[in-house]
Amino acid sequence: MGAPYRSYLYSYPHKTAYRDLHPVRSLKEMWERDQTDYYFLYMHIPFCGARCGFCNLFTLPDRRLDVHEQYIDAMQRQAEQWAPWFKGKTFSRFAIGGGTPTLLAATQLNRLFDIAENTMGLDPMKASISVETSPETVTADRMRVLKDRHVDRISMGVQSFVEEEAAAIYRPQKPRLAEEALETLISYSFPLVNVDLIYGLPKQTVETWIYSLEKAISYAPGEIFIYPLYTRENTIIKPEQMRSAGEDIRLELYHIARQRLEAAGYKQFSMRRFARDTSFDHKTVLPFSCQEEGMAGLGCGARSYTRDVHYASRYGVSAAATRSIIEQYVAAERYDTADYGFILNEAEQKRRFILKALLHREGLILHTYEERFKSNALSDHPDLQTLIRLELAELQEDTLRLTTQGMAYSDAIGDEFISGDVRELMNGYVIR
């Protein structure tokens, strides 16, 4: 299997494989023929206070309120055009990501929920709602909006509680600010608070990693995500900087975290996600499977999925490219076609289905694959048998799950499953 850290596929196919669509797709026709039971509504806010050294997301450092307001006006227009296609369909998940959504003013945050509920038809008492935040934007007025709008999960990127490590990834964050923000989040009694940490940072040691872990655990958040540091050619921290930094201790740090988190009562649900048992008896949340399609993404940089078409706005990382794409989005009058994305044939749909299931604790349920594709997953993908032979996965009755060692090698396993066509389109895009 080789090195465990090859590429982080948080979605498949990766957006760097998206290309111009010919012919341009009518979104009305696409969504009206879609037969998914429950849908995921996503809003992308592409603004942040500063770009971190590891970030290659579609985001732009811009704090101007008037720019934010114009962007939300465009989202309102987009939602009004999309809403008729989703009439009678149910959203069981709603997330606001970015960027940093809570960089918006409290009144602007409220507008996002108005768009979701009054225009798109979201019922907040039937959907799980998640919002991303950052330590500097955890203020009383913003948190009150999120609490009043029935947000279930708040996710905050801390990355490190060690000032030197935060500075090394160009994150202007004092440890005490992160601690105060966590204290505030906990005081609002959101059903689920998540903390993000990164291992493998420049200047990080085993001792400093354990310090950040213990600090996060001390606040007893319901969820902790641990991410290995990846660098790309288009991030501030370059891959060659990491290669010259000396020994790669990421795998050692991962195992330390897994053992410590499990000892503290967290269950492992993926290579990155560790969570305590959380009760959601405050609302009746409808089901949603990560293997299903049906995600409607509002905003510039948001991706949308139907079963066979994934689409989005153009992709940019540099400030100039990102700003230009946002300006085009804000100036547009119509948002009813898809001209950039990826068409999934049956082979790619199968590959996506397997990846979205196998890399999580629930595992790949073989009969659900057979019901959907009328074929056998183990026959279609002999690599699955290889995982079993290498003891990276185990077959228990009808479910194929990664072993503890397999979880550690999730990124390498995901990389092995990238198809040749997608890899060629990604044009050498490798994250280290």
Side-chain angles (χ1 to χ4, degrees):
M1 183 59 65
Y5 302 111
R6 299 188 192 175
S7 62
Y8 173 24
L9 289 180
Y10 55 88
S11 182
Y12 185 84
H14 195 277
K15 193 176 178 182
T16 50
Y18 287 16
R19 292 296 183 270
D20 291 343
L21 297 178
H22 301 292
V24 171
R25 264 47 179 192
S26 163
L27 296 186
K28 179 178 185 294
E29 294 177 5
M30 281 173 46
W31 285 113
E32 287 184 346
R33 74 168 183 264
D34 192 76
Q35 299 299 314
T36 304
D37 292 329
Y38 299 104
Y39 289 80
F40 194 130
L41 178 62
Y42 175 70
M43 291 181 175
H44 190 78
I45 306 301
F47 305 113
C48 57
R51 179 177 285 278
C52 297
F54 57 85
C55 179
N56 79 325
L57 300 176
F58 187 85
T59 183
L60 180 72
D62 196 329
R63 298 174 179 269
R64 291 175 294 172
L65 291 178
D66 60 328
V67 172
H68 299 172
E69 195 71 22
Q70 292 167 9
Y71 182 81
I72 298 171
D73 289 342
M75 289 184 69
Q76 176 71 59
R77 294 196 303 274
Q78 183 183 13
E80 289 171 354
Q81 293 172 31
W82 284 28
W85 315 330
F86 292 92
K87 190 174 183 179
K89 297 180 179 180
T90 304
F91 293 107
S92 60
R93 297 291 185 274
F94 174 42
I96 308 175
T100 306
T102 49
L103 191 69
L104 302 180
T107 54
Q108 294 172 330
L109 279 174
N110 235 340
R111 282 194 66 191
L112 299 184
F113 288 92
D114 286 341
I115 292 170
E117 296 178 26
N118 302 335
T119 304
M120 293 299 293
L122 174 81
D123 183 344
M125 299 311 295
K126 293 183 179 179
S128 173
I129 303 175
S130 177
V131 177
E132 296 176 14
T133 190
S134 66
E136 65 169 343
T137 62
V138 176
T139 58
D141 56 344
R142 293 179 174 109
M143 294 305 104
R144 177 47 56 192
V145 169
L146 301 185
K147 188 69 176 179
D148 290 346
R149 302 311 290 251
H150 307 288
V151 170
D152 306 294
R153 178 181 181 270
I154 301 287
S155 179
M156 186 168 74
V158 173
Q159 320 315 354
S160 174
F161 286 95
V162 178
E163 186 171 353
E164 293 76 12
E165 292 173 4
I169 54 173
Y170 300 87
R171 191 175 178 88
Q173 169 185 292
K174 301 293 184 181
R176 187 56 198 157
L177 174 63
E179 294 169 20
E180 290 173 351
L182 263 175
E183 291 166 4
T184 299
L185 288 182
I186 299 299
S187 73
Y188 276 87
S189 300
F190 289 103
L192 182 59
V193 171
N194 170 68
V195 176
D196 289 343
L197 297 175
I198 295 180
Y199 56 96
L201 295 170
K203 304 182 181 181
Q204 192 174 55
T205 65
V206 168
E207 291 73 25
T208 61
W209 173 234
I210 292 174
Y211 175 81
S212 285
L213 270 175
E214 296 292 353
K215 179 66 73 171
I217 291 170
S218 71
Y219 291 94
E223 193 174 65
I224 296 176
F225 270 68
I226 58 169
Y227 293 89
L229 177 66
Y230 277 116
T231 56
R232 299 95 165 160
E233 299 299 338
N234 48 14
T235 54
I236 297 174
I237 300 175
K238 303 300 182 186
E240 56 267 22
Q241 293 176 255
M242 298 305 299
R243 288 194 291 268
S244 64
E247 183 183 1
D248 186 349
I249 62 171
R250 284 178 294 180
L251 187 59
E252 179 185 2
L253 300 183
Y254 163 82
H255 283 301
I256 288 171
R258 178 184 59 78
Q259 293 165 6
R260 180 65 193 94
L261 288 166
E262 289 180 344
Y266 290 85
K267 295 179 182 178
Q268 184 171 19
F269 288 87
S270 71
M271 177 184 169
R272 291 162 171 78
R273 180 177 176 245
F274 293 78
R276 300 178 186 269
D277 290 330
T278 302
S279 173
F280 274 76
D281 54 6
H282 59 292
K283 62 168 69 170
T284 303
V285 176
L286 297 170
F288 183 85
S289 169
C290 67
Q291 293 161 272
E292 293 300 323
E293 315 309 330
M295 186 164 90
L298 295 174
C300 192
R303 294 191 244 192
S304 297
Y305 308 146
T306 65
R307 179 167 292 193
D308 60 346
V309 181
H310 290 200
Y311 67 91
S313 58
R314 295 303 191 276
Y315 180 65
V317 176
S318 71
T322 305
R323 183 177 293 107
S324 175
I325 294 168
I326 293 172
E327 288 173 351
Q328 291 173 31
Y329 170 79
V330 170
E333 296 182 359
R334 302 297 307 173
Y335 306 89
D336 53 2
T337 59
D339 62 359
Y340 185 73
F342 190 94
I343 310 300
L344 283 77
N345 58 25
E346 185 176 58
E348 295 293 3
Q349 290 178 37
K350 289 179 176 179
R351 187 170 286 105
R352 174 181 166 81
F353 190 94
I354 288 172
L355 282 169
K356 296 292 283 185
L358 186 62
L359 300 183
H360 294 84
R361 182 170 178 253
E362 292 80 358
L364 174 63
I365 302 174
L366 298 181
H367 81 263
T368 60
Y369 179 97
E370 188 165 349
E371 288 171 359
R372 176 159 173 175
F373 297 110
K374 312 304 179 191
S375 62
N376 182 275
L378 298 176
S379 299
D380 288 346
H381 295 272
D383 286 350
L384 295 175
Q385 297 282 8
T386 302
L387 294 179
I388 297 172
R389 179 174 55 80
L390 294 175
E391 298 184 348
L392 296 173
E394 57 187 1
L395 184 60
Q396 298 177 331
E397 297 181 351
D398 190 45
T399 303
L400 183 68
R401 291 188 178 90
L402 295 183
T403 60
T404 299
Q405 182 69 356
M407 279 287 187
Y409 279 77
S410 290
D411 284 356
I413 291 169
D415 185 67
E416 290 285 345
F417 273 84
I418 299 176
S419 73
D421 289 343
V422 169
R423 194 178 297 278
E424 183 177 352
L425 287 169
M426 289 170 68
N427 193 28
Y429 180 89
V430 177
I431 47 185
R432 300 177 175 85

